[in-house]
Amino acid sequence: MDRRTLGTQGLDVSAEGLGCMGMTWAYGTGDEEAGIATIHRALELGVTFLDTAEIYGPYTNEELVGRAVAGRRDEVQIATKFGFRLNPEDPYDRGTDGSPENARRVCDESLRRLGTDHIDLYYQHRVDPDVPIEETVGAMGELVAAGKVRFIGLSEPAPETIRRAHATHPLTAVQSEYSLWTRDPEDEVLPTLRELGIGLVPYSPLGRGFLTGQIRSAEDLPEDDWRRTNPRFQGEAFAENLRLADRVVELAEGIGATPAQVALAWVLAKGDDVVPIPGTKSPARLEENAAAADLQLTDAQVAELDAAISPDAVRGARYDESGMAMLNN
């Protein structure tokens, strides 16, 4: 697995990371044994950039990651996130909390759950519009000075927020949804990041699994799968989006790779400052995804994929109304 560098501060990570969320949360019932096996296989293949968060579970995902890397901490780069006000009885009932107190408290709790003395990349999961970003990032910078955090970032911020945050303390990465069917960062976020020397970490680079061609109906998803409530997986939007996924399948056949590999190779082709974090809880899927790092698309193939799934062809919002309200703040 090749390596890439995030930010001008120089966080060295694997060219592809591993999103760990689905191992315990959101995409059907979790399987701790399979999750740990997936992380171990990732390390064998050189996929060392692991992404988790306080809210995944909540809490259980960080604990799983901590158990998986016990005794191997020096081999991995761990990214985790804070920034929500959690309801312990309903993990989907949440608001933002970007207070300095929350940034410090969650950091200490995440360190304990992860079983480590430092976090490699600490993100604010969603920007809190009620707390000036300078206050939040100022507290994150203090955690860097204290040695608890190596680098900091934001998830789904607006371009102006990125500028204000970066002026307070250098950002190493911004995490945003980015894939063939979510091209939003290309408009303003990615140009801003490149101007400032900040890396992009795309989550859901496989369109929440849709671009793999394996999901043919909502019935293919577990009953407790969060995607059943996602607008892009509903009714007419699902049918329209299925045609786009089929186009990726068709193009992948011509390239001689799986749809997942082609979708990931497309993201990787968008720049050496881009490090996607496809999620899986299956060692076999992990192996398939990791192989995408060796798939070099031609400029013509990238352009063909660009045209095959144009941003205005995708149907449905990325989240429900409450989720959309937390983006681009």
Side-chain angles (χ1 to χ4, degrees):
M1 176 67 64
D2 290 339
R3 310 287 294 180
R4 291 188 172 185
T5 300
L6 291 172
T8 55
Q9 298 79 40
L11 174 56
D12 177 68
V13 297
S14 50
E16 241 182 64
L18 173 60
C20 299
M21 179 184 76
M23 296 175 184
T24 61
W25 192 62
Y27 293 163
T29 303
D31 183 331
E32 179 174 332
E33 184 177 344
I36 290 176
T38 300
I39 291 174
H40 288 171
R41 183 60 177 143
L43 299 187
E44 291 172 0
L45 295 174
V47 177
T48 62
F49 185 35
L50 307 180
D51 186 87
T52 182
E54 172 199 38
I55 199 172
Y56 300 160
Y59 314 127
T60 55
N61 200 259
E62 287 182 323
E63 293 168 347
L64 181 149
V65 171
R67 285 191 289 274
V69 303
R72 306 181 67 174
R73 179 64 181 91
D74 292 344
E75 298 178 41
V76 299
Q77 302 81 49
I78 297 176
T80 192
K81 314 175 198 73
F82 80 97
F84 285 113
R85 170 189 47 76
L86 304 181
N87 178 349
E89 298 185 5
D90 182 358
Y92 293 101
D93 174 20
R94 58 187 186 269
T96 52
D97 183 353
S99 65
E101 295 77 16
N102 194 44
R104 290 189 285 263
R105 178 186 61 79
V106 174
C107 178
D108 287 341
E109 293 178 355
S110 291
L111 289 170
R112 175 181 55 79
R113 286 189 288 266
L114 290 163
T116 185
D117 64 354
H118 69 280
I119 295 164
D120 294 292
L121 180 54
Y122 193 45
Y123 295 102
Q124 182 182 17
H125 209 152
R126 292 292 186 268
V127 173
D128 186 343
D130 295 325
V131 178
I133 194 64
E134 291 82 0
E135 293 184 14
T136 305
V137 171
M140 296 169 74
E142 292 170 3
L143 293 170
V144 174
K148 295 180 178 182
V149 170
R150 293 179 62 212
F151 303 95
I152 66 171
L154 304 177
S155 182
E156 296 285 6
E160 181 55 31
T161 302
I162 294 170
R163 293 183 184 280
R164 290 168 52 200
H166 192 65
T168 302
H169 186 283
L171 301 181
T172 293
V174 160
Q175 185 174 117
S176 291
E177 184 174 355
Y178 183 44
S179 69
L180 272 166
W181 81 340
T182 300
R183 309 273 281 279
D184 308 22
E186 294 178 349
D187 295 333
E188 295 184 73
V189 170
L190 194 48
T192 301
L193 299 182
R194 286 180 169 155
E195 176 190 336
L196 299 175
I198 303 168
L200 176 67
V201 177
Y203 70 87
S204 296
L206 297 175
R208 305 191 185 281
F210 204 91
L211 296 173
T212 67
Q214 301 298 310
I215 302 171
R216 308 304 300 173
S217 77
E219 301 308 311
D220 290 334
L221 303 172
E223 289 190 7
D224 58 348
D225 193 306
W226 168 81
R227 288 171 291 186
R228 282 178 174 256
T229 68
N230 184 282
R232 291 188 175 179
F233 287 78
Q234 305 294 311
E236 292 183 9
F238 187 103
E240 291 289 331
N241 292 333
L242 193 59
R243 284 195 278 271
L244 301 178
D246 288 343
R247 181 67 176 133
V248 177
V249 172
E250 179 185 337
L251 292 172
E253 290 175 351
I255 292 170
T258 69
Q261 289 167 343
V262 168
L264 285 171
W266 177 89
V267 176
L268 287 162
K270 291 299 176 174
D272 290 340
D273 54 352
V274 178
V275 179
I277 49 169
T280 184
K281 48 189 171 183
S282 160
R285 290 290 182 207
L286 181 280
E287 292 170 1
E288 176 186 356
N289 292 345
D294 296 323
L295 178 60
Q296 300 292 322
L297 299 179
T298 66
D299 290 345
Q301 288 168 334
V302 171
E304 188 173 14
L305 286 160
D306 284 341
I309 303 186
S310 61
D312 58 0
V314 180
R315 296 292 176 260
R318 292 166 50 195
Y319 292 95
D320 63 16
E321 187 174 345
S322 63
M324 291 299 292
M326 292 185 176
L327 307 180
N328 202 41
N329 287 319

